[in-house]
Amino acid sequence: MKLAYLISLVLTVLPFCHSLVLVDSTLASACIYYELQYDWGCKSHSNGMKAYACRCANINWLGTVTNCIKNNSDSKRLIDHALRHLSTRCLQKGNFHYTVDDLYRFAENGTHYMRDPTEQDRTVTVNTTLNVNQTDYDWYYKKFKDYTFSVERSQWFGWGLVFYWAAIIGFATFFNICKRVLGHPFVNNRLKKHLVLPSTFRDYRERTYLLCNVLPLNFQTRLNGLVVAVFLILTIISCGVGYELTLPHPYLTTRWYANLTLVSYRTDLLSISLFPVIYMFGIRNNPLIYISGISFSTFQFYHRWCAYTCVVLLFIHSIIWTVYAIHGGGGYKVWAMDSYWNWGIAATTLSVLLVFHSEKLIRDLAYEVFLVMHQFMNIAFIIAMYYHCVDLGWLGWIWAMAGILCFDRFMRILRIVISGGVHTATLTDCGNRSVIKMVMKKPKYFKYVAGSHAFIYFLSPTDSWYYFFQSHPFTILTDPEEDEKNPDHLVFLFKANKSVTKAMLKKILKSGKPTVTCKVLLEGPYGVTLPKRVKDNRKVVAVSAGQGVCAVYPHLRQILSSNQTGEFRHKLVWIINDLSSLDWFGLEIKWLRDRQCDVTILYTKADDRDLESSSLESEVKESKHGVKRLYCRPNLQKLISSEVEQASKESVDLTILSCGPASFNDDLRHSVVSSMNCDLKISVDLEEESFTW
């Protein structure tokens, strides 16, 4: 797996190859445009398609240009490169298949007929090979050298955005190594309180805020918001500086056209440079998660904002060339005849659709549609960009993007194969027609740590065909009655919400049996980062709501199994609104209590129907598990403050684990931030497991 991660990192440097094609040879461009001043019998002094094809068929023009190239450089490498440039242009413009050796022969043949140019050659067809006026040529060369530098500068601005994200990953990796390997976190309570933990907008972190009750907005922490804000500022600066090309110019004949061209190059090279970043941040098998410790949900946040920025830049690029085609390029219909133009329109349209249908509101309403469409449109976008750039250059970025996507798919298949392929899983309704318990045999080579999760594919020929394309992440649990270090089975507890999980519940209920079997594919484990090399002496308080207990339990189990208890007791606070939850998680609760973990279960449901139906069985269940009735939601602020105060009295550092619905996680995060006073002598950490991204 680690070797595969290294392969993915290599894919990100592919853009170094073939970065420039259209303006890659200053030598060739200067010679080609220098010779435009003479009449070669093509009834044009421009570089249009017909005129270019006409000149490529003219042996006198070929002899003149190739001799210009040979005589103005002492480097065989530069000469060969310039001749390849000329060969490519003749192939693209006129379908002439000239090799470099052919062009050398044209140059050799032309030396026998060379003469100095005259003023008459500008209006009368030239029927021989012309020498170069060195003074005139030097001006052309300088202008194209400046132009090439301007384009290369745009490319380096694009690399600047890539290097910015590389720096962010580098800093995160440094702090991750310091924390997990060296035991020096370097982040104090003040930074956590004011930068690392709080949301950028009030206490909205996982919940969606409706602006004017219409526009849905999602927010991240201040730290992640700052990272994105700096990225946006760098992008704006990169778009607005460094335009120093002066006129007159043999190619950029007017200031209007020069501005359009240079801004277009800048925006498209900035956007295309972000392609590998967007795809690397968005894939499931992102190796940067392992080394940096940045969560998958945070990478998804970066992924979306890079995509937003990229689409805006692509849109500006498209608008610029549309305006030029209509007002200065001979009319839109002329440009629309070129295939690269149409592929560019397709790529821009696909990029807008990819961003629009990826919004959380769309994902929540129709996740299956989002999943299938996102996969197919990603492939279509890569194809469209390839055909758009195949004649223009910069294919290295496209290959990097395609390579990252293929790497992710390869790693998914590899994980499934290593995990044993198709498995038979036992599905059990936990009694409340809501939670399903899935148990399967643990594959031999399936190694996981606390907090890991796996993606499950449900294979059922009787269900909807598109269910196969879905893979849902579930936290991996260990049966309390099995050995923690060498379990025989994998246990998953998940809520039958909608889509395929709802279909599995219907399958159980329809069978009339307590359990059914189902064929599944297991892909994982995920959620693994650098292993801790230092022993933590921290008190852990896990606060969970409902199904969230499945995410915090493995961490507590690992700590208690390794005897990392110190002079204090770890604690679990589980908030439920359905007593049947005790049926499907009762054994795990007993396991924790047997190992001196302080378990508090808070029951919050208090409607009349519940009170009337309170039976002897429920009372026994409450008494057995020590359930406390609150009849309302608990005061998380008071709960967290008391835990921080208690840890402070014990002079022990505190880690708070949390997992639950979006509103619960947001309230708890806000409570932790509010409880961290500047004069606090202990370190307080928040580790949050989230169901949303």
Side-chain angles (χ1 to χ4, degrees):
M1 291 294 182
K2 293 180 180 179
L3 177 61
Y5 284 159
L6 291 176
I7 294 173
S8 74
L9 293 177
V10 172
L11 293 173
T12 61
V13 302
L14 278 177
F16 275 115
C17 306
H18 307 297
S19 293
L20 296 170
V21 172
L22 184 61
V23 290
D24 63 342
S25 176
T26 301
L27 177 60
S29 297
C31 286
I32 291 170
Y33 274 83
Y34 168 81
E35 302 299 344
L36 284 181
Q37 60 187 309
Y38 303 117
D39 186 348
W40 298 100
C42 297
K43 300 179 181 180
S44 173
H45 289 275
S46 71
N47 256 341
M49 182 78 74
K50 291 182 179 180
Y52 215 118
C54 172
R55 284 192 286 272
C56 284
N58 188 325
I59 191 172
N60 295 311
W61 180 81
L62 289 170
T64 299
V65 172
T66 52
N67 271 285
C68 173
I69 291 172
K70 283 185 61 180
N71 296 334
N72 282 283
S73 177
D74 296 326
S75 170
K76 189 176 187 306
R77 180 183 64 83
L78 292 179
I79 293 172
D80 287 347
H81 186 66
L83 293 178
R84 283 194 295 271
H85 178 103
L86 177 60
S87 172
T88 301
R89 289 295 159 263
C90 285
L91 176 63
Q92 294 170 345
K93 301 288 188 177
N95 200 30
F96 290 95
H97 295 265
Y98 295 136
T99 65
V100 172
D101 290 337
D102 291 336
L103 296 177
Y104 269 113
R105 284 192 288 271
F106 283 126
E108 179 63 27
N109 178 70
T111 57
H112 301 296
Y113 309 100
M114 293 186 72
R115 65 170 174 81
D116 292 332
T118 65
E119 191 65 28
Q120 192 177 14
D121 293 329
R122 299 177 185 272
T123 56
V124 178
T125 301
V126 177
N127 292 312
T128 187
T129 308
L130 297 180
N131 283 319
V132 169
N133 183 305
Q134 199 61 43
T135 302
D136 289 348
Y137 171 80
D138 289 344
W139 181 83
Y140 278 85
Y141 184 83
K142 180 182 182 303
K143 289 297 181 178
F144 274 99
K145 187 176 181 180
D146 293 343
Y147 177 57
T148 301
F149 176 75
S150 295
V151 176
E152 289 177 341
R153 173 186 282 171
S154 294
Q155 181 66 92
W156 280 108
F157 272 118
W159 274 110
L161 298 183
V162 177
F163 292 151
Y164 169 75
W165 286 113
I168 294 298
I169 302 302
F171 279 118
T173 301
F174 171 76
F175 285 110
N176 192 38
I177 292 174
C178 289
K179 178 181 179 180
R180 302 186 68 85
V181 179
L182 304 179
H184 300 290
F186 291 119
V187 180
N188 57 31
N189 288 338
R190 184 182 295 273
L191 282 175
K192 295 173 190 173
K193 179 179 178 64
H194 297 289
L195 182 64
V196 178
L197 295 180
S199 173
T200 53
F201 179 73
R202 299 200 315 221
D203 60 346
Y204 283 85
R205 164 61 179 82
E206 294 187 13
R207 292 173 296 162
T208 299
Y209 177 76
L210 291 178
L211 182 63
C212 300
N213 293 322
V214 176
L215 183 63
L217 299 175
N218 293 96
F219 300 93
Q220 262 281 348
T221 62
R222 291 177 185 174
L223 177 60
N224 292 329
L226 179 63
V227 169
V228 169
V230 173
F231 165 68
L232 295 177
I233 292 171
L234 284 176
T235 303
I236 294 171
I237 293 174
S238 298
C239 286
V241 300
Y243 300 102
E244 300 171 358
L245 197 66
T246 59
L247 297 183
H249 194 279
Y251 174 57
L252 307 173
T253 54
T254 66
R255 174 51 60 188
W256 179 75
Y257 180 53
N259 290 340
L260 284 182
T261 302
L262 295 178
V263 173
S264 173
Y265 266 123
R266 184 66 57 84
T267 54
D268 70 355
L269 290 178
L270 288 177
S271 63
I272 205 172
S273 300
L274 290 174
F275 287 169
V277 177
I278 294 170
Y279 275 69
M280 181 60 76
F281 286 1
I283 61 174
R284 184 179 296 174
N285 289 278
N286 183 354
L288 303 177
I289 294 176
Y290 177 82
I291 63 173
S292 68
I294 298 175
S295 67
F296 177 77
S297 62
T298 300
F299 268 116
Q300 288 297 310
F301 175 69
Y302 296 157
H303 164 78
R304 286 193 292 272
W305 275 99
C306 286
Y308 298 152
T309 305
C310 179
V311 169
V312 171
L313 293 170
L314 286 175
F315 197 71
I316 294 172
H317 170 73
S318 300
I319 290 295
I320 286 174
W321 284 111
T322 301
V323 170
Y324 173 74
I326 295 173
H327 295 287
Y332 187 85
K333 291 183 178 180
V334 174
W335 288 73
M337 294 173 62
D338 288 332
S339 61
Y340 90 92
W341 180 273
N342 295 318
W343 282 113
I345 294 174
T348 303
T349 304
L350 285 167
S351 68
V352 173
L353 291 175
L354 278 166
V355 166
F356 176 76
H357 93 288
S358 300
E359 287 304 304
K360 188 174 184 298
L361 181 64
I362 305 296
R363 297 200 311 267
D364 291 343
L365 289 175
Y367 181 76
E368 298 85 359
V369 176
F370 155 76
L371 193 66
V372 175
M373 293 300 295
H374 204 68
Q375 293 174 358
F376 281 104
M377 282 199 290
N378 266 300
I379 297 172
F381 176 73
I382 293 174
I383 294 172
M385 282 304 305
Y386 172 81
Y387 283 108
H388 178 62
C389 295
V390 67
D391 292 333
L392 303 176
W394 301 283
L395 284 179
W397 298 103
I398 312 303
W399 287 122
M401 178 170 55
I404 291 170
L405 185 63
C406 292
F407 163 78
D408 181 57
R409 297 298 161 176
F410 169 76
M411 287 299 299
R412 292 190 188 191
I413 296 172
L414 183 62
R415 286 181 185 272
I416 292 173
V417 172
I418 293 177
S419 298
V422 179
H423 297 269
T424 300
T426 301
L427 305 178
T428 305
D429 176 21
C430 292
N432 58 356
R433 297 193 175 188
S434 175
V435 177
I436 297 175
K437 182 177 183 179
M438 181 172 68
V439 181
M440 69 176 67
K441 188 74 175 177
K442 177 184 173 294
K444 180 179 180 181
Y445 299 105
F446 192 86
K447 307 295 183 183
Y448 65 96
V449 297
S452 298
H453 61 275
F455 286 84
I456 305 295
Y457 299 79
F458 293 92
L459 310 179
S460 176
T462 59
D463 293 319
S464 300
W465 62 270
Y466 52 80
Y467 285 165
F468 175 74
F469 291 95
Q470 297 184 35
S471 52
H472 293 263
F474 301 126
T475 301
I476 304 170
L477 301 177
T478 302
D479 192 316
E481 298 178 352
E482 294 184 353
D483 181 12
E484 166 76 15
K485 297 182 179 179
N486 190 28
D488 294 325
H489 296 86
L490 300 178
V491 180
F492 303 90
L493 286 164
F494 56 89
K495 192 171 184 178
N497 192 5
K498 55 184 178 180
S499 185
V500 66
T501 54
K502 195 71 173 180
M504 293 302 106
L505 178 61
K506 290 180 179 179
K507 183 189 292 289
I508 298 173
L509 298 177
K510 187 177 180 180
S511 70
K513 302 176 182 178
T515 63
V516 297
T517 59
C518 179
K519 298 295 183 181
V520 299
L521 295 177
L522 177 66
E523 179 195 330
Y526 288 94
V528 179
T529 184
L530 292 176
K532 283 190 176 182
R533 300 298 184 186
V534 292
K535 184 177 179 180
D536 272 343
N537 189 33
R538 304 178 67 93
K539 181 179 180 179
V540 175
V541 175
V543 187
S544 62
Q547 197 76 21
V549 71
C550 298
V552 300
Y553 166 77
H555 295 282
L556 285 173
R557 174 163 180 145
Q558 181 191 45
I559 294 170
L560 295 171
S561 297
S562 59
N563 297 318
Q564 298 178 23
T565 55
E567 301 297 326
F568 44 82
R569 294 180 65 183
H570 301 294
K571 187 173 184 178
L572 169 66
V573 179
W574 186 21
I575 304 166
I576 60 175
N577 61 7
D578 187 352
L579 288 176
S580 65
S581 301
L582 300 173
D583 296 330
W584 52 262
F585 213 72
L587 290 177
E588 286 79 2
I589 295 298
K590 182 179 182 301
W591 189 95
L592 293 176
R593 281 181 169 149
D594 289 345
R595 283 152 184 82
Q596 306 305 310
C597 180
D598 186 1
V599 178
T600 301
I601 302 175
L602 304 178
Y603 181 51
T604 62
K605 195 171 183 180
D607 56 56
D608 293 336
R609 290 174 300 171
D610 183 65
L611 294 175
E612 292 174 1
S613 62
S614 180
S615 62
L616 178 62
E617 181 182 353
S618 297
E619 293 177 3
V620 171
K621 190 182 298 184
E622 292 182 47
S623 175
K624 176 182 177 182
H625 293 283
V627 177
K628 296 181 181 179
R629 279 183 176 267
L630 292 183
Y631 303 109
C632 63
R633 287 188 175 185
N635 187 331
L636 292 180
Q637 177 67 62
K638 183 178 179 180
L639 174 66
I640 297 301
S641 296
S642 65
E643 294 298 336
V644 172
E645 183 179 350
Q646 180 64 31
S648 184
K649 290 179 181 179
E650 297 172 354
S651 297
V652 59
D653 294 334
L654 177 65
T655 296
I656 298 173
L657 299 177
S658 77
C659 186
S663 58
F664 169 82
N665 279 347
D666 284 353
D667 288 345
L668 191 132
R669 175 181 289 271
H670 183 69
S671 299
V672 171
V673 172
S674 301
S675 301
M676 296 174 67
N677 300 320
C678 296
D679 57 349
L680 205 60
K681 302 298 182 183
I682 63 171
S683 170
V684 178
D685 277 345
L686 172 65
E687 295 185 9
E688 183 181 85
E689 299 285 348
S690 176
F691 295 140
T692 62
W693 52 269

